[in-house]
Amino acid sequence: MKFIHITDIHLVLPGQRLWGFDPLARLDACLADIATHHADAAFCAITGDLTERGEPDAYAALKKRLERFPIETHLMLGNHDDRTAYLHVFGDASASGHVQKAIARDGSTFLFLDTLKGPPSSAGLYDAPRSAWLMSELEKAAGTPVYLFMHHPPFDIGHDLMDLIKLDDAENFAGLLEGHNIRHIFFGHAHRTISGQWRGIAFSALPGLSHQLPLVSGSVETVYSDEPPMYAAVLLANGMTIVHSDAFMHRSPALMHKDAERGDWY
Ligand SMILES: [Fe+2]
């Protein structure tokens, strides 16, 4: 099966720009590219920072786009989101009032987690009510493959700024996962392409659809940078997870004849 990972879309009010970028135009371009090239995807997951400032009209703009987007899409909250405003527009809270859900596809379980802590902190939180939900869902999965989606990474990623605002109490979160068949964690927050392994669990993250975070602070004179936005097309088959990151806005023909290099790949 295939699914799509998108993150950190940081929508502002329609017509407004953020750090020189137009997040809504980038979202439109992203969704159009996915609908054109990945219409066979089982679902899309957007791992938080849906908006920059949690404005209801920004969530309404997102809802309007998704209503005409042909692929089912699962949303998570990030530190820039406002849970009350989100629920006012989307209204899909779990029993504890958080934005968490589980879906089952092809014998696997996909869990979408709410790690929003709230102002003034930009870090993440996974408290007792949320943990109880996760433990329940992991028990229900009964050893079948589980894929986690969340905004905040529950570990340091080796970035001087991001490591200040990762998930609080990461050791406790790690304990919740022990003994379960967690195959991969897809996270956002970092505004960078990252992949690796944590406690034997594979993970990956993506650039946002808006601004990015330079790998080395100070390599540009601003905190954020202008680097290509990406989404990921994730393939699950035969026990493998393959994550393709696609810089969809920077895809254009190479300087070559359109028939050159065809038919001789073997
Ligand atoms: Fe973000």
Side-chain angles (χ1 to χ4, degrees):
M1 68 174 289
K2 178 199 285 184
F3 64 85
I4 304 295
H5 181 197
I6 305 169
T7 198
D8 292 82
I9 58 181
H10 284 261
L11 296 183
V12 289
L13 296 177
Q16 290 185 348
R17 299 181 80 84
L18 175 67
W19 314 127
F21 308 111
D22 184 339
L24 196 54
R26 287 186 167 204
L27 176 65
D28 285 340
C30 179
L31 296 181
D33 201 74
I34 292 165
T36 299
H37 299 294
H38 302 290
D40 57 337
F43 63 85
C44 289
I46 307 181
T47 49
D49 280 0
L50 305 174
T51 66
E52 171 69 10
R53 291 181 287 270
E55 294 153 309
D57 285 349
Y59 290 114
L62 174 58
K63 187 177 185 189
K64 193 171 153 190
R65 264 63 184 181
L66 295 180
E67 282 170 351
R68 58 182 188 238
F69 182 55
I71 302 168
E72 71 175 53
T73 300
H74 303 288
L75 304 175
M76 278 143 279
L77 301 179
N79 50 293
H80 280 266
D81 287 305
D82 182 299
R83 191 178 292 108
T84 302
Y86 170 88
L87 290 173
H88 180 72
V89 173
F90 285 96
D92 58 353
S94 67
S96 66
H98 296 96
V99 180
Q100 303 201 113
K101 76 171 105 162
I103 64 170
R105 295 284 186 282
D106 285 359
S108 295
T109 300
F110 301 86
L111 301 179
F112 307 104
L113 277 51
D114 181 340
T115 61
L116 173 57
K117 180 178 182 179
S121 175
S122 296
L125 183 68
Y126 212 68
D127 54 13
R130 286 176 261 197
S131 298
W133 175 88
L134 178 57
M135 286 190 287
S136 167
E137 294 298 332
L138 290 174
E139 289 301 322
K140 283 188 217 168
T144 57
V146 175
Y147 299 85
L148 299 182
F149 300 78
M150 55 202 293
H151 184 70
H152 294 83
F155 43 78
D156 285 336
I157 60 169
H159 190 282
D160 60 328
L161 296 176
M162 271 299 149
D163 291 346
L164 300 173
I165 54 173
K166 67 179 186 292
L167 190 73
D168 283 356
D169 204 1
E171 282 297 315
N172 180 65
F173 184 81
L176 301 176
L177 307 184
E178 282 178 10
H180 298 284
N181 189 6
I182 314 294
R183 294 292 179 90
H184 199 106
I185 299 175
F186 297 89
F187 63 89
H189 197 42
H191 292 242
R192 296 210 55 78
T193 304
I194 304 170
S195 58
Q197 198 181 79
W198 169 68
R199 293 172 177 254
I201 302 171
F203 64 78
S204 58
L206 282 170
L209 284 195
S210 56
H211 51 286
Q212 314 307 345
L213 188 67
L215 173 59
V216 178
S217 297
S219 58
V220 296
E221 61 190 12
T222 48
V223 170
Y224 300 128
S225 54
D226 182 2
E227 300 177 50
M230 299 186 194
Y231 65 78
V234 183
L235 309 176
L236 302 182
N238 305 317
M240 283 184 69
T241 305
I242 303 169
V243 182
H244 288 284
S245 303
D246 197 340
F248 62 100
M249 290 181 68
H250 291 67
R251 186 194 313 126
S252 57
L255 291 175
M256 62 193 295
H257 190 279
K258 65 184 176 62
D259 293 323
E261 294 278 328
R262 292 193 193 278
D264 56 354
W265 287 47
Y266 55 86

